């Protein structure tokens, strides 16, 4: 866990140094005018997948996949995308903006926390509207050798 924290801090410092958290870069990525943010995020995913696999292999992580509700995923994606477009931050860049003292990030965090609390409260009553339960869809294999091949690929 300490290694993950240190890696996250290093990644955040690099991302902040190249101004990855600016509204212009996030919107340029959303409009497909720039691939800089996508490249940096894919690099971060590649590094973190290797780190996660190592933690998983040594028993430090558990893979627990939640049920897949198609309507819920689509609606959640729309709300998430609208939040990114409205604020100009994704969750990681919003944290950087908050650390820089930007006021809009405080409202973004407050909105995210309130939306999460609201969803938790109404979840049992909206569950039927989320569509059929397709079960836990997991691309992570149970076999460690197959998982290693997936991570390296």
């Amino acid at each position: 866990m300490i290694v993950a924290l240190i890696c996250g801090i290093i990644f955040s410092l690099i991302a902040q140094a190249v101004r990855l958290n600016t509204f212009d870069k996030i919107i340029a990525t959303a409009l497909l005018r720039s691939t800089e943010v996508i490249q940096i995020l894919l690099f971060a995913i590649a590094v973190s997948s290797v780190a996660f696999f190592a933690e998983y292999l040594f028993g430090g992580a558990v893979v627990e996949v939640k049920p897949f509700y198609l309507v819920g995923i689509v609606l959640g994606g729309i709300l998430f995308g609208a939040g990114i477009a409205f604020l100009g931050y994704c969750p990681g860049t919003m944290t950087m903006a908050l650390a820089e003292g930007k006021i809009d990030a405080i409202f973004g965090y407050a909105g995210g926390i309130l939306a999460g609390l609201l969803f938790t409260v109404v979840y049992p009553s909206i569950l039927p509207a989320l569509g059929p339960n397709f079960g836990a869809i997991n691309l992570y294999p149970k076999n460690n050798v197959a998982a290693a091949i997936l991570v390296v690929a």
Side-chain angles (χ1 to χ4, degrees):
M1 189 66 132
I2 297 297
V3 173
L5 179 64
I6 292 168
C7 289
I9 290 170
I10 291 170
F11 175 75
S12 294
L13 290 172
I14 293 169
Q16 202 273 338
V18 298
R19 307 298 300 155
L20 186 68
N21 63 329
T22 61
F23 180 82
D24 294 336
K25 287 200 180 185
I26 300 297
I27 295 302
T29 300
L31 296 174
L32 302 177
R33 293 185 182 151
S34 171
T35 61
E36 182 180 11
V37 173
I38 295 170
Q39 291 171 354
I40 291 171
L41 290 178
L42 288 175
F43 175 75
I45 289 169
V47 171
S48 63
S49 68
V50 172
F52 175 78
F53 175 68
E55 190 174 4
Y56 174 75
L57 188 63
F58 294 115
V62 177
V63 177
E64 184 180 322
V65 182
K66 303 298 181 206
F68 181 84
Y69 295 98
L70 183 61
V71 174
I73 295 294
V74 170
L75 290 176
I78 290 169
L79 286 172
F80 186 76
I84 290 175
F86 182 72
L87 283 171
Y89 300 122
C90 64
T93 57
M94 189 166 48
T95 303
M96 288 186 273
L98 187 65
E100 291 176 347
K102 295 188 178 176
I103 301 297
D104 55 346
I106 294 171
F107 290 103
Y109 261 108
I113 290 169
L114 290 174
L117 289 172
L118 177 66
F119 179 77
T120 302
V121 169
V122 301
Y123 179 74
S125 61
I126 66 168
L127 190 57
L130 296 180
N133 179 352
F134 290 102
I137 299 173
N138 185 4
L139 300 177
Y140 212 71
K142 300 283 184 192
N143 183 327
N144 286 340
V145 174
I149 291 169
L150 178 66
V151 168
V152 170

